[in-house]
Amino acid sequence: MKMQQFLQFLTQQLTQWRRQCKSLRRKGKLMRSPQGKSHRRELLRTMFKNVFLFLSKTNEKSNRRKQERALQSKVKSVKTKSSIYAVVLGWVHKQRSSVILAIAVVSLTGVIGHKLYNQTQLQIGNPAPQTITAPYTAKIEDRKTTEIERKAVRNSSLQMLMLDARMNEQINENLQQLLDDGNEIRAVAGSFPFFDPVVLPIYTQRHLRSCSDSEWQALLLAVENSKNQQKKGTGRTAASSRPSSIAAPNQQRQPRTTPSKSDSQSSQVNPQKTDPVDFSQNTDFTQAIAELESYRLTTSEKNLSLLIAQISQVRQRYTEATTKLLQLETVSPEAVYEESLLLDLSDVEWEKTQMGIHQSIERILTQGIPQGLPKNILQDAVTLQLQPFVPESAEPLAKTLLLAVLKPNLQKDEEQTRQNAQKAAAGVPPVMVKVRHGEVIVKKGEQITAWNLEVLEHYHLIRREVKWHGLLKLGGIIAIAIGMFVWIERHIDYELRQRDRLLVLLLTLSVPGAIAIGLPYSTWSALGLLLGSFYGPILGLTVVGLLLPILGISLDMSKAALLAGVGGGILGSYIAQRLRSREELALLGVAIALTQGGIYLVVKVLIGQAFGSTWYIVLREAALFALSGLGWSVIALGLSPYLEKVFDLVTPIRLAELANPNRPLLKRLATETPGTFQHTLFVATLAEAAAKELGCNVELVRAGTLYHDIGKMHDPLGFIENQMGGPNKHDTEIKDPWKSAEIIKKHVTEGLVMARKHLLPTAIQAFIPEHQGTMLIAYFHHQAQQMAQEDPSLIVDDADFRYDGPIPQSRETGIVMLADSCEAALRSLEASTSGKRPLRTSSALGEEKRSLKDVSTEQALTMLNNILRAKWQDNQLVDSGLTREEMSKIAQIFVDVWQQFHHKRIAYPKLKASSTVRNS
C-alpha cells in the first residue's frame, strides 16, 4: 500500500515537472545559458525536495501510529492499575487526618532515633571482606528449605468448617413462618375430627368435609328418602333401603325456588352441568350414607339434624381454608402446602408433625450441611431423620417443608484452619545442615548469600542490634507530644487544613534532619520564623517548645547549642506575624542571630567554659551560631513566597502585597470599572472598621474586599455604578429581567475565573461568591413578577434570581457581605440629604445643620438595621460565626464611618459678580 502511494506521488511529480519544463521552454528560459542551467537545477531541486518531504511525512505518520498504539496500550494498563489504586486512595483520603498523624509519629521517630538503628557490616549481596571459617562443628537449620517444606504442608492441610449461627437462625425463622401459615389455614378450617370418631369414623368425616356440593346434596337427599320410607312402614332397613341408582337432587325432585348457598356455589363452579350424576359407585359416598343411617337409628332425628348442620358449617370453613390456601399459593410461587396433605391431618397428627419437624431440623442443622452437597443425599438424610418423629401420613408434607427451608449452614473456620495449618507446619522437623570445624563459610571477595548469613548469625560472627525498646519509647514520647499539639490546635482560632499539618511536619523534620546529616547548626530560626509567620505565635511556640525536650532527651548534642537554637526559634515564632514587610522580617533575622549567639555565649559562661585558654573557641562558636541564625532566616525569607504559593497560605505580608493598588487586577478594576472601584474602596473602609472592632483579620478583610467585585469587569456597563449617568442597558437594550439577572450573577463566576487565573489565594477567592451568598436579585425579580402578572404564561422561579452561593463561611466574608449591602443604602441616603437650600442666618443655619445631622444619623442607623435584619432573617449569616448581638454593633460602626465621610462644610458667602471682577 505504501509503495503504491509512493509511485502515484512520483507520477504526479513527473507530470508537474514536464508541464513546468514546457512552460519554461516556451518562454525561452531553458536555452543553453547560465540562466537556463539555473532554471533546470531549480526544477530538479524542487522535485527531489517534494519526494523527500513525502517520505518524511510517511515516516512521521508511521511513527505517530506506533506512538498512538503504545499510548493506547499504556492507557489500558493505567486504567487497570487505577482501579486497584482507587480503593486505597479513597480510604487514605477519608482517613487523611489519621494518616498524617501516623506519618508524623513514624517520620519523627525515624529521624530523631536514627542512632538506634542497626549498622551491619555484612549484608546479603555484598562481597566478604575476608575468608571466614566455622569455629566449631554445629548443625545449623536451613531456614529457607525448612520454610518451603512447611509452606507445602500448610497449603495442603484440610479446611475446618464451622456452623453459621446466622444461617441457622434464618432457616428456623423461615420454617416457623411456614408452620405459622399452616396453623393459620388449619385454624380457618376448624378442629379435626369435628365429631366423635367412635360414632363417625375419621375417614368418613374427611370425606363429608371435602366432597363436592353436588355429592353432598345427593347424600342429604338419600338420607331424607330413607327417613320417609321408614315412616311409611315399608319395613325395609336402612341398609336394604339403599337405592341401586341414587341420582342427584335435580333428578329426584323439582328445583327449589330459593337455592341454598351450597347449590349456588356448585352452580358457579360448573354452570353447564345439568345432567344427573350417579354417586352409587362411589364407595365413600355409600359408606357415608350408611354411617349417617346408623347414627339416625341409634339416636333421635333432632341429633341427626344437628350433625348435618354441623357438617354444613365444617364444609363452609373447609371451603374458606382451601380458598386461603389458593391465595397463599398465588402470592408465593414456592408454596409447599397442598390441600390433601395439610387439611387431612388430624389435630393430634399435626401437633406431632410440628414437633417432629423441629426435632429433625435441629439434628440436621447440628450435623451441618456443607456447600455443594448433592440434592439426593440431602433428601435421603431428611427422610431418615423424619421417620422416628413424624406420623407416616405426614411424612410427605414434613419432607417438603424441610427441603424448602434447608440451606448449607457450614462455613470455613478461618482461625481453626490457620491453627491446624500452623500446627501441621510446626510438626515438620527443621532441615539441619552440618557445618564442620574449620569449614569455609565464605571466601574473601565472594558475595554473601542468605545461607552464608544464617551460618554467620549462628556463630555470632555478625554484629547486629536494633534498640527496639528505645525506638518504642521515643515513639511514645513523640505520640504524646503530637497529641498535645493536636489539643492546642483545636483550642486556637486558626483552623489547620491537611496541607497545613503536612507543612508543619516538614518544617519540624528539618531540625532533627539537619542534626541527623551532621550539620552543626540546625534550622531553629527558620522553623520559628516560618511557623510564626504562617500560623501565628501560639502554634510556633508550641512546636518549638515540644521539640526542645524530645531532642534534649534523644540526641547527644551540646545543651548550649540546643538552647541557643530554641531561643532563636521562640523569638521568630513570637514576632514574625506582627511584621508587615520583608524589610521588617530581615531585621527580625538579625535579631534572631544576635539572640542565638548571645544565648550560646551566656550558657558557656554559666557553665564555666568561657574562661581559660579556650575562650576564643567559645567566641568563635557564638559567632558561628549567630551567623547560622541569620543564614537560616535568609533561607526562610527566600522560601516563604514559594511555600505560600504551594500550600495556599496567606500571611500579613502577602495580604499587604495583594492589597497594593498597583497589582494588575486592581489596576484594571480602577481603569475599566471606575464606579465599581470607588464602591470597592468604600466597602473596604466599612468592612475594615467593623473587622477591627470585632477582632477579625483586618488584612484579610482589606485584601478580600478589594477583589470581591473583580468579576464586574466582564461587562462594566451592566452595573449602574459604571454607567456614569448614561442610559441603562438593562432598560434600553436587554429588557429581559432573566437575562439581566444572569449578567448580574455572572460577575461572581467570572470573578472566580479571574482570581484563579491570577493565582489568588483560596482565602481571597472565598470573598467573591460568599459576599453575595444566595441573596435575591430583588430589582429584576420584581420586574419578572410584574411581567408574569401581565403574561400568565411566564413562570418566575426564585432560583433564576438568586446567586449560587455559598453563603459566608467566616466572620470576615460575612462582614464584607454586610458592608457591600449597606454601602449603596448609605450612598442613597447621602444623595437624598444633599442639595441646595436657601441662605439662612448663622444661628438658624447652625440649628438646621444640627437637626439635619441628627435626622440623617437616625435614618441611616434605622436603614442599616433593617438591611442587616433582612440578611439575618434570610439565613445568609448562619455559617459565618457572627452573632445577632453583633449586628447592631456593626450597623453603628458603619454609621460612624459614614459620618466621617458625610461631614458638613462651612457655607461660604456668595460673592457678587462685580466685586469679583473688581478684585480680579
Side-chain angles (χ1 to χ4, degrees), residues 707-778:
Y707 290 94
H708 81 285
D709 269 345
I710 58 174
K712 292 183 178 180
M713 288 188 287
H714 85 282
D715 188 2
L717 295 180
F719 302 89
I720 193 168
E721 67 265 19
N722 299 313
Q723 295 170 3
M724 302 301 179
N728 192 339
K729 65 183 292 184
H730 297 284
D731 297 332
T732 59
E733 299 177 10
I734 300 175
K735 298 180 181 179
D736 185 350
W738 282 270
K739 292 183 179 179
S740 298
E742 193 65 28
I743 292 174
I744 300 300
K745 289 168 63 175
K746 198 173 181 181
H747 89 275
V748 172
T749 56
E750 290 295 328
L752 287 173
V753 172
M754 294 179 186
R756 289 164 186 157
K757 182 179 179 181
H758 288 78
L759 302 178
L760 293 182
T762 304
I764 300 297
Q765 294 181 24
F767 284 84
I768 297 173
E770 291 180 20
H771 87 278
Q772 295 290 0
T774 57
M775 290 192 301
L776 186 70
I777 306 174

Side-chain angles (χ1 to χ4, degrees), residues 268 478 675 720 741:
Q268 290 175 0
I478 291 174
I720 193 168

Side-chain angles (χ1 to χ4, degrees), residues 353-536:
T353 301
Q354 292 187 82
M355 293 178 59
I357 288 174
H358 282 297
Q359 293 174 350
S360 301
I361 199 170
E362 183 179 357
R363 296 179 65 176
I364 293 172
L365 294 180
T366 302
Q367 293 175 358
I369 305 173
Q371 293 284 349
L373 183 68
K375 189 175 182 180
N376 59 337
I377 295 178
L378 181 61
Q379 291 175 352
D380 294 341
V382 169
T383 302
L384 291 174
Q385 292 291 345
L386 286 173
Q387 285 178 356
F389 304 107
V390 176
E392 184 177 358
S393 59
E395 282 186 10
L397 175 61
K399 183 177 179 181
T400 305
L401 286 170
L402 287 181
L403 291 176
V405 298
L406 285 177
K407 295 179 182 178
N409 67 332
L410 291 177
Q411 63 179 357
K412 183 181 178 181
D413 190 348
E414 299 286 348
E415 181 64 23
Q416 192 63 35
T417 302
R418 185 181 60 80
Q419 291 180 3
N420 287 352
Q422 289 180 352
K423 187 176 181 180
V428 177
V431 179
M432 306 300 295
V433 178
K434 187 175 183 180
V435 180
R436 299 183 181 276
H437 172 67
E439 183 178 346
V440 176
I441 300 174
V442 61
K443 293 182 179 180
K444 182 179 180 180
E446 289 183 352
Q447 288 187 351
I448 299 175
T449 63
W451 168 245
N452 297 146
L453 199 63
E454 289 182 14
V455 176
L456 293 173
E457 283 184 347
H458 178 81
Y459 288 113
H460 301 288
L461 298 176
I462 296 178
R463 294 181 180 178
R464 174 179 291 182
E465 184 179 6
V466 178
K467 296 183 178 179
W468 293 108
H469 180 72
L471 282 175
L472 292 175
K473 182 179 178 181
L474 177 61
I477 295 173
I478 291 174
I480 294 172
I482 292 176
M484 296 173 64
F485 171 84
V486 172
W487 185 85
I488 293 173
E489 174 204 332
R490 292 180 178 177
H491 288 77
I492 61 176
D493 295 334
Y494 197 99
E495 184 177 356
L496 294 184
R497 303 163 297 177
Q498 304 304 329
R499 65 181 72 182
D500 297 325
R501 296 187 179 96
L502 183 61
L503 178 58
V504 172
L505 174 61
L506 294 175
L507 294 176
T508 306
L509 283 171
S510 66
V511 177
I515 298 173
I517 63 177
L519 290 178
Y521 311 105
S522 193
T523 62
W524 287 102
S525 58
L527 173 68
L529 196 149
L530 291 175
L531 287 180
S533 178
F534 293 160
Y535 306 113

Side-chain angles (χ1 to χ4, degrees), residues 179-332:
L179 294 177
D180 290 342
D181 293 339
N183 287 325
E184 185 177 354
I185 293 170
R186 287 183 61 87
V188 173
S191 59
F192 186 77
F194 56 85
F195 201 74
D196 188 1
V198 177
V199 178
L200 196 64
I202 290 180
Y203 62 88
T204 301
Q205 295 185 40
R206 186 180 292 122
H207 178 70
L208 291 173
R209 186 175 64 162
S210 60
C211 67
S212 64
D213 290 341
S214 59
E215 186 177 356
W216 170 245
Q217 292 298 327
L219 190 146
L220 291 177
L221 182 60
V223 172
E224 186 69 20
N225 290 336
S226 176
K227 182 174 65 172
N228 293 334
Q229 290 176 5
Q230 187 177 6
K231 286 181 179 181
K232 291 178 180 179
T234 57
R236 288 182 291 178
T237 61
S240 62
S241 64
R242 296 174 193 157
S244 60
S245 178
I246 302 174
N250 53 6
Q251 182 184 10
Q252 298 295 331
R253 55 172 149 174
Q254 296 298 325
R256 290 170 296 189
T257 305
T258 305
S260 64
K261 182 176 180 181
S262 59
D263 292 336
S264 61
Q265 290 176 351
S266 178
S267 63
Q268 290 175 0
V269 172
N270 193 0
Q272 301 298 330
K273 187 174 181 180
T274 59
D275 297 333
V277 180
D278 187 5
F279 297 104
S280 61
Q281 303 300 322
N282 190 338
T283 307
D284 294 332
F285 178 79
T286 56
Q287 184 66 33
I289 292 175
E291 297 294 342
L292 292 175
E293 286 291 334
S294 299
Y295 179 72
R296 186 174 63 82
L297 295 175
T298 58
T299 184
S300 63
E301 292 291 341
K302 182 179 180 181
N303 290 337
L304 178 61
S305 299
L306 292 175
L307 175 59
I308 291 174
Q310 183 179 0
I311 294 173
S312 298
Q313 293 178 359
V314 169
R315 285 177 54 79
Q316 184 177 358
R317 298 187 67 176
Y318 184 87
T319 303
E320 293 176 0
T322 54
T323 303
K324 189 173 183 61
L325 187 60
L326 289 174
Q327 292 175 355
L328 183 64
E329 292 178 357
T330 305
V331 174
S332 177

Side-chain angles (χ1 to χ4, degrees), residues 34-49:
Q35 292 181 354
K37 287 183 179 180
S38 64
H39 285 300
R40 286 193 295 270
R41 289 175 183 172
E42 184 66 25
L43 286 174
L44 291 173
R45 190 182 297 112
T46 302
M47 186 176 69
F48 286 123
K49 184 178 179 181

